[in-house]
Amino acid sequence: MVAEQFHEVQKRILTACERAGRKREEVTLIAVSKTKPVAMLKEAYEAGARDFGENKVQEIVEKYLQLPDSVRWHMIGHLQTNKVRQVVGKAALIHSVDSFHLAKEIDKESGKKNIITDILLEVNVAGEESKFGFCLEETENALKEICQFQNIRVRGLMTVAPFVDYAEENRQIFRKLHEFYVDMKSKNIDNGTMGVLSMGMTGDFEVAIEEGATMVRVGTGIFGAR
C-alpha cells in the first residue's frame, strides 16, 4: 500500500513538473513519516524514498539507527532550542528555523561537533497567528544576520501554507514566497548557497510545484491518515 501510494505521488509530481515546464529532478519528494512505525518507513524506502521528514526530534533519534545510512532526515516541525543538540548531526536539513535565537543555538551545537548544518528559514507568508516563522517583512534582515554564522548554511526558505479545502487557494501564498526567494537569490545575501524552496504538502503540492517549489512534504498521500 505504501509503495503504491509513493509511486502515485511520484507520478503526480512528474505531471505537475510537465505542466510547469520544469524538469522532474528539480523537485525532491520528502516522505513525511511522523508518528508512523519504522516498518512503514522501510516499505517506502524499498519503493525508492530516501528523504524522510519528521516533526519531532525524538522520532528522528529513534528511527535514525533503524534505517539505512542513505536516508536523509529532514526536521520539519517546530524545533525547541533545548532539543537542538540531539538533532544536529542527524538531520540533513532543518526546515523550521523560525528565529535568530534558534539559528544561534544550531550554530553553537554544530560548532561543537565541527560540522556545518544546512537549514531553511521558515516564513509565515500568510501571517497566521497559529503558525511559527518569520513574517515576510522581517525575513531579509534575518537572512542577513543568520548568514554570518560560521557553522550553519542557509539553503533556502520554507513555509507551511494554510489548511484549505481547495489547493488553488494557496497559489498566491506559494507565488509570493517564490518571488521573495528569487529576490533574495538575486541579492546574493547567502553567498550562493540558496537553492531550496520547501513548500506544499499532500493537499496542495502540485500547485506548489507549479509555483516553484523544489521540495514538497507529503505524508498522508504516502502513508495514509494519522
Side-chain angles (χ1 to χ4, degrees):
M1 188 69 169
V2 171
E4 289 168 14
Q5 292 180 160
F6 176 78
H7 291 308
E8 180 59 31
V9 170
Q10 290 280 25
K11 283 183 198 167
R12 289 170 62 189
I13 290 173
L14 176 61
T15 304
C17 285
E18 287 171 347
R19 274 199 305 272
R22 301 179 64 193
K23 294 176 182 173
R24 171 61 189 87
E25 55 267 29
E26 290 176 28
V27 182
T28 300
L29 170 59
I30 299 168
V32 178
S33 46
K34 59 184 181 182
T35 76
K36 297 299 179 184
V38 169
M40 290 182 83
L41 275 70
K42 287 181 176 176
E43 197 179 334
Y45 181 88
E46 291 298 322
R50 292 297 179 270
D51 293 88
F52 289 86
E54 292 289 344
N55 265 40
K56 290 188 166 64
V57 170
Q58 192 56 38
E59 286 207 64
I60 291 182
V61 171
E62 288 172 3
K63 294 171 179 175
Y64 182 81
L65 297 172
Q66 299 182 66
L67 269 89
D69 291 343
S70 52
V71 166
R72 291 176 291 271
W73 295 98
H74 296 255
M75 179 63 200
I76 62 173
H78 178 61
L79 179 58
Q80 296 170 299
T81 51
N82 63 348
K83 298 281 179 70
V84 167
R85 179 178 53 82
Q86 295 172 262
V87 80
V88 162
K90 291 185 175 68
L93 184 61
I94 299 174
H95 291 231
S96 47
V97 177
D98 56 10
S99 70
F100 179 81
H101 181 58
L102 176 58
K104 189 175 180 181
E105 191 65 24
I106 295 169
D107 181 66
K108 185 179 88 175
E109 292 298 333
S110 301
K112 286 180 187 175
K113 295 182 180 181
N114 199 28
I115 60 173
I116 292 173
T117 299
D118 286 339
I119 68 165
L120 304 180
L121 299 192
E122 182 173 355
V123 187
N124 186 352
V125 183
E128 293 182 282
E129 287 186 17
S130 61
K131 298 266 177 68
F132 295 99
F134 295 99
C135 67
L136 207 53
E137 296 73 28
E138 64 184 1
T139 306
E140 182 172 351
N141 284 336
L143 182 60
K144 286 175 180 173
E145 290 184 11
I146 291 168
C147 279
Q148 302 302 314
F149 289 126
Q150 299 300 304
N151 291 93
I152 53 179
R153 180 166 47 210
V154 180
R155 294 294 316 284
L157 306 172
M158 176 270 232
T159 196
V160 179
F163 180 78
V164 292
D165 290 325
Y166 303 102
E168 277 297 326
E169 295 176 50
N170 279 334
R171 187 176 292 277
Q172 284 303 117
I173 299 286
F174 298 142
R175 185 171 294 172
K176 191 181 285 189
L177 188 60
H178 180 257
E179 287 170 356
F180 179 79
Y181 163 79
V182 170
D183 185 36
M184 292 302 99
K185 284 184 74 172
S186 72
K187 292 181 179 179
N188 203 33
I189 296 166
D190 58 300
N191 297 317
T193 65
M194 273 176 65
V196 177
L197 191 54
S198 170
M199 57 187 195
M201 303 195 293
T202 295
D204 55 20
F205 70 85
E206 288 146 306
V207 173
I209 289 168
E210 290 168 8
E211 295 300 332
T214 69
M215 283 187 178
V216 291
R217 311 179 302 271
V218 180
T220 306
I222 295 170
F223 297 104
R226 279 187 283 163

